[in-house]
Amino acid sequence: YKLIEAKKKFGQNFLKDTSVLNKIIQSMPQSDRKLIEIGPGLGDLTQELLKVKPLVAYEVDEDLCVYLRKKFSAKIDEGKLTLVKTDVLKQFEKGSLADEPYDLVANLPYYIATTIILEALEDHNCKSMVVMIQKEVAQKFAALPKTKEFTSLAILAQSIGVAKILFDVGPESFDPQPKVVSSILKIDKQKEFVEGKFSGIFETNEQLQKFKRYLRCSFQSPRKTWLRNISSEFEKTLVQEIMQGEELPITIRPHEISVLSHHLLFKKLRLNDARKRSNATTE
Ligand code: SAM
């Protein structure tokens, strides 16, 4: 038995609390979908997940992969566990973590947790996620309008699915202990990407990318008014007209606008842009 030291650069904090492990298992969606874990680490969560169903796990650390291959050699031989040694972000770059619909469960490395969640939100094969992350980050994804945590992250997550914080986990449940409190965040994608298209709010991937640009612009200076932010990209009089139509006060700030209103505003701005463009071509 060789002692494996946690590597800071890979965000390794191993979960050692069986009651937390059990609660994570109970939070999983009941589905026939494939199961994927990111960062199995020393395999404590993996072991519990394997009692429920087979899974594919992505781990970047070669030392941990060597350890896991020994620990789970029987499961790997039976085809119950597929261990992939890779940087999960590289796998997302290739398109998806699986070639079929899947549920994601993970105690995420905190240094790239936000990036991984955003990738999983856009991965059309990912149908749900139950992830452990830093509490502050979880609060951003699950935030409600009019709170200061409500930004692009909440709007994106809540446009694609339903985001909920299930419970918090203190540092003492890990080894080594992180400096922060963690939360379990669950995102169920109700509005799904079907055959390369969102069946819900976004009809195409292009629309999603445009909406992300709209959000970046809307929140570029979160404390300034939405009008001021968005006027850097759209004509101010047009924006004011649209706001009037939606009965929004001109002093409203981006975090005070609901998810649905943001979509309505985005649509109207785009419609107007399209009209301008078609006028230009007919003139
Ligand atoms: N699942 C284990 C647990 O609950 O004890 C470990 C969780 S630990 C917070 C994060 C894990 O993600 C580590 O095993 C780490 O090596 C792995 N990891 C870090 N960056 C990664 C990446 N880019 N791709 C895949 N795995 C990564």
Side-chain angles (χ1 to χ4, degrees), residues 11-257:
Q12 292 172 359
N13 300 96
F14 303 114
L15 185 56
K16 286 292 162 207
D17 188 327
T18 24
S19 76
V20 174
L21 285 168
N22 287 334
K23 273 166 91 177
I24 294 176
I25 299 297
Q26 279 155 24
S27 314
M28 284 170 53
Q30 295 200 327
S31 81
D32 301 329
R33 290 184 288 261
K34 195 168 178 154
L35 183 61
I36 291 195
E37 184 186 8
I38 294 173
L42 294 173
D44 291 68
L45 179 57
T46 316
Q47 185 142 18
E48 295 308 310
L49 292 172
L50 281 168
K51 290 179 189 162
V52 182
K53 55 164 100 168
L55 73 122
V56 176
Y58 291 95
E59 174 57 63
V60 73
D61 186 347
E62 173 62 23
D63 293 343
L64 287 178
C65 285
V66 170
Y67 172 85
L68 290 167
R69 273 185 220 117
K70 269 191 213 140
K71 175 168 176 160
F72 292 113
S73 67
K75 291 284 181 193
I76 291 173
D77 290 344
E78 287 165 32
K80 297 267 163 57
L81 172 64
T82 308
L83 181 64
V84 187
K85 195 226 155 257
T86 191
D87 176 344
V88 75
L89 295 181
K90 295 233 168 81
Q91 187 62 35
F92 275 122
E93 258 172 46
K94 288 186 190 162
S96 177
L97 296 193
D99 50 15
E100 59 184 289
Y102 69 87
D103 297 310
L104 176 65
V105 179
N107 169 15
L108 288 176
Y110 294 170
Y111 73 107
I112 45 167
T114 303
T115 312
I116 290 176
I117 294 172
L118 288 173
E119 290 288 347
L121 277 173
E122 284 191 39
D123 183 347
H124 52 87
N125 282 329
C126 177
K127 300 302 180 193
S128 78
M129 53 186 122
V130 172
V131 289
M132 171 120 69
I133 51 177
Q134 188 177 332
K135 182 175 179 173
E136 279 77 18
V137 179
Q139 283 172 329
K140 282 190 177 170
F141 282 102
L144 296 175
K146 299 191 175 124
T147 63
K148 71 173 190 312
E149 290 83 14
F150 188 73
T151 61
S152 308
L153 293 182
I155 296 173
L156 269 180
Q158 295 167 34
S159 296
I160 296 172
V162 175
K164 240 193 341 211
I165 292 181
L166 300 186
F167 57 92
D168 294 344
V169 182
E172 65 287 350
S173 296
F174 301 86
D175 182 26
Q177 294 194 9
K179 290 201 178 70
V180 295
V181 174
S182 307
S183 296
I184 296 288
L185 173 75
K186 184 171 187 174
I187 300 180
D188 267 311
K189 292 200 199 169
Q190 294 194 323
K191 301 128 188 165
E192 292 181 348
F193 224 14
V194 180
E195 290 167 13
K197 276 187 159 190
F198 278 105
S199 64
I201 245 158
F202 303 110
E203 269 168 22
T204 61
N205 187 44
E206 193 198 353
Q207 243 178 45
L208 167 63
Q209 300 311 323
K210 287 199 167 130
F211 186 63
K212 277 163 65 180
R213 271 216 301 281
Y214 158 87
L215 288 178
R216 264 200 297 281
C217 184
S218 294
F219 282 91
Q220 57 187 312
S221 304
R223 298 164 69 101
K224 289 194 179 142
T225 66
W226 179 75
L227 174 63
R228 179 138 179 203
N229 284 331
I230 206 75
S231 297
S232 69
E233 223 165 275
F234 295 91
E235 214 183 296
K236 196 170 173 184
T237 49
L238 163 69
V239 178
Q240 277 172 324
E241 230 171 77
I242 289 175
M243 291 182 85
Q244 234 166 29
E246 294 298 316
E247 296 185 351
L248 293 175
I250 57 160
T251 52
I252 202 162
R253 288 182 297 164
H255 73 275
E256 295 169 324
I257 300 172

